[in-house]
Amino acid sequence: MLRLRTFRPTNDKIVKIQLHPTHPWLVTADASDHVSVWNWEHRQVIYELKAGGVDERRLVGAKLEKLAEGESEPKGKPTEAMRGGSVKQVDFYDDDVRFWQLWHNRSAAAEAPSAVNHVTSAFSSPAPATKGRHFLVICCENKAIFLDLVTMRGRDVPKQELDNKSLLCMEFLSRSAGGDAPLVAFGGSDGVIRVLSMITWKLVRRYTGGHKGSISCLMTFMASSGEALLISGASDGLLILWSADHGHDSRELVPKLTIKAHDGGVVAVELSRVIGGAPQLITIGADKTLAIWDTISFKELRRIKPVPKLACHSVASWCHPRAPNLDILTCVKDSHIWAIEHPTYSALTRPLCELSSLVPPQVLAPNKKLRVWVYCMVAHPLQPHLVATGTNIGVIVSEFDARSLPAVAALPTPVGSREHSAVYVVERELKLLNFQLSSTANPSLGSNGSLSETGRFRGDSLEPLHVKQIKKHISTPVPHDSYSVLSISSSGKYLAIVWPDIPYFSIYKVSDWSIVDSGSARLLAWDTCRDRFALLESSLPPRIPVILKGGSSRKAKEAAAAAAQAAAAAASAASTANVQLRILLDDGTSNVYMRSIGGRSDPVIGLHGGALLGVAYRTSRRISPVAATAISTVQSMPLSGFGSSGLSSFSTIEDGFSSHRSPAEETPQNFQLYSWETFEPVGGLLPQPEWTAWDQTVEYCAFGYQQYIVISSLRPQYRYLGDVAIPYATGAVWHRRQLFVATPTTIECVFVDAGVAPIDIVTRKKKEEMKLKEANARAVAEHGELALITVDGPHTVTNERTALRPPMLQVVRLASFLHPPSVPPFLSSPKQYKVDGDDSALQKEMEERKTNEVAVGGGGVSVAMTRFPAEQRRPVGPLIVVGVRDGVLWLIDRYMCAHALSLSHPGIRCRCLAAYGDAVSAVKWASRLAREHHDDLAQFMLGMGYATEALHLPGISKRLEFDLAMQSNDLKRALQCLLTMSNSRDIRQDTTGLNLNDILSLTSKKENILDAVQGIVKFAKEFLDLVDAADATAQADIAREALKRLALAGSMKGALQGHELRGLALRLANHGELTQLNVLVNNLISVGLGREAAFAAAVLGDNALMEKAWQDTGMLAEAVLHAHAHGRPTLKTLVQAWNKMLQKEIEHAPSTKTDAAAAFLASLEEPKLTSLAEAGKKLPIEILPPGIASLSALLSVQKKPVPAIQQGSQQQQPGKPLLLEAPATATATTTAPSDSSEATAAEANNPSSSTTNPGPILHEDATKEPDIQEIPVPVPVPVTTSPLTTDSLT
């Protein structure tokens, strides 16, 4: 139940502390008057200043600002240079603080049965007063400091401007009326309350004639009559009531009521909200007593001494579902947070927690005698599970079981009924809550489509919907008053209540509230498909020791030790408990049908209901000594009977120093799913979730973890879809494909669709085959083999294209605590306001809202201009999510009040309808959404599988329209979109045969063809996809239209990529468009794309055209290989042309500069010459395919031949070529054509390498003399030699 949320060590003791309601900010003041603003979530200091003395940084900053604004040096001393004195109070003030202060006062007053109508009606948000600024307000003895945390500019108000009296406390005053300036009241040392305007920074009015001593505390609240009141406590022990409704212009106000509260001075005052009653006041005084007062009669209800011999210094109203009988927290100067029970119960004081057990051991280790002393305490105004304390060693933020939920369960609504009901437990009574929308207009029927007076959607306004609710008493009592968990069976006929701390459970029949089953159990989980449940039997209930009046810190330690023993005994008993399954039959009887499930010996710490039963086991982990001592006296056995938790107080304490633990340690694999039918495990072990949520149709499930939610699909088989980063979620409810999630600060909606995966198609086919086999087997069993005889009639084969879709998870935030963001203006802007009674700012803002958020479409229908609605206000505290009924999302809070969140904004409504399966209505509602958001909505509907319906949205772009048409197989519309996007709609049949010259010499009538070609090139991939889709569905005319335009683009050089041209050629051949294919080849040749032209010619099957493509585009190597492979008669001509081209490339190769050493090394590698006469002459290149004789027989020789030098048979003739490898003869075996082709092509692509490093198929001929005559040269004798050396030449 208890853990350390965060800890910040300090050198001095913390004496003042305050929390911001919506931001994770905490302001503290220490005994040295240093003020610090700290982000407790990210553990970062936002701002620090020395408030008691003179802060030099602020003084320098103020002087620089004045110099920058052109102001001369003031004569007097600047206010920043004045010493502040001791800090008396610190607080935040902005629109969020103002709103929640008003909300808290109003909601507390509305609980009273005598509350007037305008108090109980829905609370409207006040007009923004601080305009996006966040003030830190510090009340010092000598001055008040107002610091804007946005711009870091401040304003100091010295006490000289407040009648020169010391300032001891402060409170913010504000009405909910618009145009009202923010006011702050200061309690003075002379017993007078002075009110300062935060607009003019002048004294507005005084409250006089009440106190004789100095004022110590101020607080505003609202009476049940709706009157705003200010209450003050002073050192004279008096409580005085003043009117805070400052509508009149009175400068001096006198007291309304004076009460003698305490013998000593009044230390603090707090407002307490009471369920079903008028609010109460709690005061603590210097006389060590705590008093509770009624706010109607202002009579004292109760007075106690929480901790004898010690005076309380802090008090807070508390309402936490984990401890329903505790309602007040207080602190004295010791190491405990003390809790006071509700007067209905024993009205005793008990230590809620011992703070020294929460402090990280690293802090206390250096000084073993160091003790923790509490000097101030504050509970979070909106998250009751968070309590911050200021101590002598630092700030401790404690968390008390954030996952526990109110003891309430919603009943199913009868068909056709507009009234909904829920059952809750309070003070040993079972009660019924009936709730419904009180407005006659039903938001789900579209009545909010008209404009309201303020120009906003009625369903999109920030004001909450009006809810009519009635609480009824059920005669059946419940046996216990401790923490309970309520849950409803799948049919709604039975209600289960579990008291995990007792431990005990009861099953009630909803029709007559009779008990059908009960016993000892602390965990219970329902099946979502049938009325059956699993429970964990338990025995040996832990005894919770109680601190009686007159207790002390020593007794608190004894109670904690006794509680630890009780918890240990309970843990040992739990290790032997079994999970038992019971079923509720139609006659209302409960029967055990499985004594024990699961064969594991580990103790069970959690049960999770659903389509499968989840059981969490405690793994054997070593318990740290720090964790073992952190056991609260308010016991937390596994905290939920319905699987919302599983941790006990033995769980490891989280602090700022233990964040480096590995994920494996944080999430052990200890969670097993079991089948309700076979009782067998399903799948392997998983990390234990904090809660589970299963869809009613058993299609989806969600497992909640601390930092994320894992969402999976269940049909046709289990498949992980993804996880969404929603941290600290406390619970969720499915509504078809919508998951509504509650966290401590927000309400989120997750839209889910599983998509279509290949495994789904395979699984579906297998299941269909299995069903067919089963049907055949049944037919054979009934009628014999003759039953399988079928007559095949004529049937058409349908080509189904099952489009795959990825899973879709989209998160939309519906509600939060934060005020809608506004742009922070300059600090000089408030000068434009009038002090009182001017509503021009409010009217101007309403006009801006009207123009920004609503536009009037055709027919007077209002159109939402925003994609999603502004975030609505989240109800305070832990919430039960009831679900969607009447088109709104219902929630129930800790005070058993129902709240409705509107889902009527078109951006939300369309998504909800599509997720629910009504895509046609979603498209109709889209007419109320601005057209610029239709693309976003269409993408969502496409992810949900409604591509065909999304095509009817009027505002979608052409690009998205094409994608939707392709998904929905509307290929004709896809083609129309492509023609529009590519600007190729006007391309006719006669323009497809254009070649490059035609396109370059276009007449003025055909100028748009160039634009069309550019468009076709841009969408070439889409055109090819369209052709493939048309081929798959036998829509040849659409494919031809697309191919016609692609062929036109293919004739432009560089227009289409190589793979696109090859794909185009294949598709043209596939469609028999041989004429267009022939034209495409000729166009490709004309623009020099030989490789693509040859591929297209090969697809066409025309060898001559293919050879022409190689030859005309200069790719002679490929032409030679092609002619050789196909035995073309033009082979020799091609070889000659190829060798000439290579020779030209070598002759024109640029010379490179080399040094002497490089030239010498190169000469060693060059082939040696046969005679000196050939020195200085380069040998021509001759590269031949295998099997071809040398071309020297056809070449010319010299007119004057050089005489041959006879040097033996080994000497080569000068007129004959130097053969490295002779051409293969008819008897010789030739190499494989493919190998030789590859080698030849490789050499052709790198002609320079063929000269320096001749390969095995290179030939070198003798060079020619200048005088040439044509004589035939005989073919040389085939000789195979090794690479030439000097020896072979000699």
Side-chain angles (χ1 to χ4, degrees), residues 130-131 133 199 823-833:
T130 57
K131 294 292 183 182
R133 290 175 291 173
I199 297 297
V823 180
F826 297 106
L827 278 184
S828 58
S829 62
K831 296 176 182 177
Q832 303 167 359
Y833 287 88

Side-chain angles (χ1 to χ4, degrees), residues 338-356:
W338 295 84
I340 300 172
E341 285 195 345
H342 194 272
T344 309
Y345 305 99
S346 56
L348 298 176
T349 305
R350 64 177 62 190
L352 184 68
C353 70
E354 213 278 334
L355 291 175
S356 59

